Every structure is written in structure tokens, then in C-alpha cells.
Amino acid sequence: MDTDIGALTTVFTEFYYWVTVALMFLIHVGFCVYEVGASRHKNHLHTLMKNTMLIPLVTVTWFFFGWWIYWAFPNGPFITGGIEWEAAAPYAPWGESMGPRLDDRITGVFWAAFLLFAWTAASIVSGAVIERIRSFAFWLFAIMIGSVTWSIDAAWGWHYGGWMVQILGYHDAYASGVIHGIAGGCALGVLVVLGPRLGKFAADGTPRDILPHNPWLVCVGLFLIYTGFWGFYVACNVPVIDPGGIDGQITGATFTATTIYLTPTTLSAITVNFLMSLAGGLLVGYMVSKGDAFWTYSGGLAGIITASAGNDLYHPIQAMIIGGVGTALMYKLHFWVERTFKIDDAVGAVAVHGYAGFIGLVIAGFVLWGHPSSPYEGYAAINPLGNFLGAIIMFWGLGFIPAFILAKILSAMNLLRIPKEVELLGLDFASEQDKENARQEMVAAENELIAKF
Amino acid sequence: MSTTPIDSWAVDLANVTAIYPFVGTEFILAIVGIALWIVWHIWQIGFENRAFKDEVDKYGSPENMRKVIDE
């Protein structure tokens, strides 16, 4: 802050990340609106609270250990080195960078941007499991993915020194895998143990439609997620950096925006590609679902998610086509998995986030084959095998498996699923009944007063 | 005397670091924060279990559920 350019760069970067945080709040508003719309009326307030309360829980745990994990584990540990004790020390909850200080103006906003990604990951899981999971159990899954597994995957594959970037050439600039893939895998791991909502499947295994109580609200929620997604995208970039600050192989003195890997890109590139992949997803979503509003909106989201791994580099028409391909495949996979394995994913989260994210990583490995994954020397270039292995690590290794294990433990303790009676009556039934009793009592009191006139 | 490390702003800002009160208590604050978080979960699991039990006891008879679903 003691030179003009240093001050400008610092203040701009601080403000830039702050804006992304405010925008990303809309993702959470969108998820809440969408989930409440998708639930049946008898469950809608409980559904809202289940999602809302992940905000404080992931926030405090992200402060207590999530952020430290990100800085401590880029080497695995024990793959490319040990635990980064020294580098991570300032980010422990008692670390020197965690309180307000004038010599570090960036850590707080950077912490918050990563936290909003963590909320998103947890919120993706939330929609899939509505109307039958215990809040206690869901919040443990939210903390697990939001403050542990996403943080590990980001350290491995979304960090300029992450071992997956170094060894595999893993490239996932806007989080197809590190947020969407892992969240889809986590949701599937929970769903396999949790089971479908009562009545979802007929005796012969045919799935029944459990209709949302407000389809319009569902679509508005998805629209809000698109809006918040702008913040998510720009938060994945470093807005301006001097090549000297990268300390890699880039020559000259031209400042640039970069991805999280410190590879140069531009805000224009990701803006156009975001819109073109959204367009590809919407066009194909409308086509494959024959104009169904929910799946068309979900297709738009899946389009962005599929193209996200490489949206720093794709040509806009490539982004559009890739978005469309991912949308068609995730749509078909959703219904195939539902019929074949009797998986009741209430909002299609595994498909829209998990399958589209996985497919997006695989496509990026082929389309960006040979492009440097990092400005540093000695890193593997982007390649199909590296991104395919990365997709498996994200979806299955850090998404599905930990969720499946935790779900099994909670199920064995009878802490995973709500009682059948409560599921049939509805999670809001008792509180609605209490309110109705209070209302009737008030009406009786008023009638008594009127009778005295 | 100040609870923060700043007694006066007649300083070169380049030399200012932390500005929050009680610098040096961060570890204790972290322990307190983590304890409060865990206590919240313990309270919540008890609250949720009691709420479900009450609902099942009060409204969970087959006749009542049939009536509610028919409505």
C-alpha cells in the first residue's frame, strides 16, 4: 500500500472479492427459493430452515478449520510434500491473518469468497435430500463437504501448487469438479443410504412424480442461482497481478487477470463463455425436456457447469456446444439412474451438478490437451487422463465415498432419516397445528369480546 | 490505555498490524468458539429428537394420519 500502483492493486482486489461475495449470496437465496418451491407444502418451512442453517454452521467451521485445510494440504499431504504447516499457520483460527489488520487487506475477502463456494457445495446436496433427512444429519454433511472435503479438493486441484495440478495437469478453472462434481457425488452417496421419499416408487419400481408445490418458485430460484453465478465466476479469478508476483516463467511487465492456477485469462473471456454455455444448456435443456420449465432452467445451469472447467480458454462456440452436450447427457443419466437404481434425487442435483461437472472435466481434458496447466516449470500439461482421474477423485473419491460412510454411520445410529409418521404428516405439521390452535383460540377470544357488546 | 494495540493514530500506517482488541487471546477465543459450536449441535440433536417424539406421540396414530392425508 506504500506505492500508488500497490495501493490501487490492493484496494481493487479487496473490493473485487467483496463484490463477488455479495453477488454469491444470491446463489444461496436461489437455492432456498428453489428448494422451498420443490418441496411439498407440508414440508416447505422446514426445508427452508434446513438450507438456511447451513449458512452459520459452514461459516463457523470454515473459520475454525476449513480455511486452514486449504492452505495446509496442497501436497496431499505426502504426495508432493508434507503438510504445509508454515504456510497454513496464519490461517488457523488463532492465526495472525484471521483478525482485522492493516498489513493484510486481502485475506478476509478471499476467505469469504471461498466460504461462499463452500455454502454452494453444501446447498447443492441440500436439495437432493429434502423431505426425509434429519436436519442434524444434513448439517453434518454440510460441514463435511463445506469445510472439509471441498477444502481438501480445492487444495489438491484448485490451488496454484496443488498436487493434482502439478502431477495430473488437472484443469478446472471455474469448478466443474471442485464444487459441482464433488457436491453431486456427495448427494449421491447420501441418497443411496437415505433412500427415496415414501411413495416415490410404485411396487413394480416405476417412479412417481412428486410434484413441487410451486413450480414457478423453483424456476425463480434457478434464475437467482444464474445471477449469483456471476459472482462465483469472477471470484475464481485473481483480478490483476504483476508477472513478478507470479514468479513463474511469464516474461515482461504486463499485468493480467489469472485463474486460481495463476494462468492468464481475461474477464471478457469468462463473461462471454458463461453466457454462451448458459445459452447452449438452455437450448438443449428445452429440446430434450420438450419445453419443461424445470429441466430447461436446470439445463442452463448444467450448460454453465459443464463448460466451467475450461471456460477461461474455450472459444464461445465451443463453450456453447460443450454446455449443450453436458446438458443432454446429464438429463438422460438422471432418468436412467432413477429408474435403474431407484434413486430419488428430488431436484436433479446429482445430474445437474455431479454428472455435468464430471462430463465437463472429461471434455476439458480433451479440448485443452497440451495447454500449460500452470505458469510454473515442471507441471504436467492439461491432458485427458489427468482430468478424467481428477473427475473420479472429485465425484467418487471426495464426494461419494465420505458421504456414503457418514450416511451409513448415521443410519446405524438412527440419526439419518426422520420417523415415517413425521414424513407422512409433513415436517411442518406439528408447528402448523400449534399455529392453527393459537389462531382458533384467538378467534374464540375475539368472539367472546364481541358477545359482550 | 486501549484494549487494541492502538493508543493514537499519530503513526505511520505502514507500521500498523492488528487493530482488534485483546491481541494475544486468539487461541482462547478459538477454543471458546469451537466449544460453542459443538454445544449447539448437542442441543440441536436433543431438540430435534424431542420434537419428533412429541409429534409422533401426539399426531402419529394411523387414524389421525389418514385424516390429515385425506384433508
Side-chain angles (χ1 to χ4, degrees), chain A residues 57-265:
Chain A
L57 290 167
V58 175
T59 300
V60 298
T61 51
W62 184 252
F63 191 95
F64 295 149
F65 45 79
W67 187 226
W68 180 84
I69 289 172
Y70 178 71
W71 293 102
F73 287 1
N75 297 323
F78 315 122
I79 297 172
T80 52
I83 296 174
E84 294 271 11
W85 294 106
E86 204 178 318
Y91 310 117
W94 50 80
E96 64 179 29
S97 290
M98 299 306 283
R101 46 191 306 132
L102 297 193
D103 58 344
D104 179 359
R105 294 161 192 266
I106 303 300
T107 294
V109 285
F110 206 44
W111 173 88
F114 271 66
L115 167 67
L116 271 284
F117 294 160
W119 290 4
T120 299
S123 208
I124 291 166
V125 180
S126 179
V129 298
I130 55 171
E131 303 194 310
R132 75 279 208 201
I133 197 167
R134 283 178 184 250
S135 294
F136 171 78
F138 171 71
W139 292 329
L140 289 193
F141 289 111
I143 291 166
M144 184 187 76
I145 187 169
S147 293
V148 182
T149 51
W150 130 252
S151 193
I152 293 171
D153 91 26
W156 290 1
W158 209 63
H159 182 295
Y160 63 88
W163 73 265
M164 287 174 62
V165 188
Q166 291 192 43
I167 294 176
L168 301 178
Y170 181 75
H171 188 79
D172 186 11
Y174 302 95
S176 290
V178 295
I179 287 291
H180 303 285
I182 189 177
C186 177
L188 187 60
V190 181
L191 287 171
V192 166
V193 183
L194 180 65
R197 287 168 289 179
L198 295 175
K200 170 68 186 174
F201 293 97
D204 66 355
T206 311
R208 297 190 182 105
D209 264 347
I210 299 179
L211 299 174
H213 90 270
N214 191 332
W216 162 236
L217 203 62
V218 174
C219 296
V220 171
L222 284 161
F223 229 142
L224 282 167
I225 294 171
Y226 294 173
T227 312
F229 221 144
W230 286 105
F232 185 101
Y233 250 57
V234 294
C236 294
N237 273 8
V238 175
V240 57
I241 192 165
D242 168 6
I246 296 174
D247 198 27
Q249 295 178 291
I250 300 171
T251 57
T254 304
F255 280 63
T256 182
T258 73
T259 65
I260 197 78
Y261 308 116
L262 302 178
T263 51
T265 185

Side-chain angles (χ1 to χ4, degrees), chain B residues 5-25:
Chain B
I6 311 295
D7 284 316
S8 156
W9 281 116
V11 293
D12 179 348
L13 292 183
N15 299 323
V16 176
T17 58
I19 55 172
Y20 50 89
F22 306 111
V23 169
T25 60

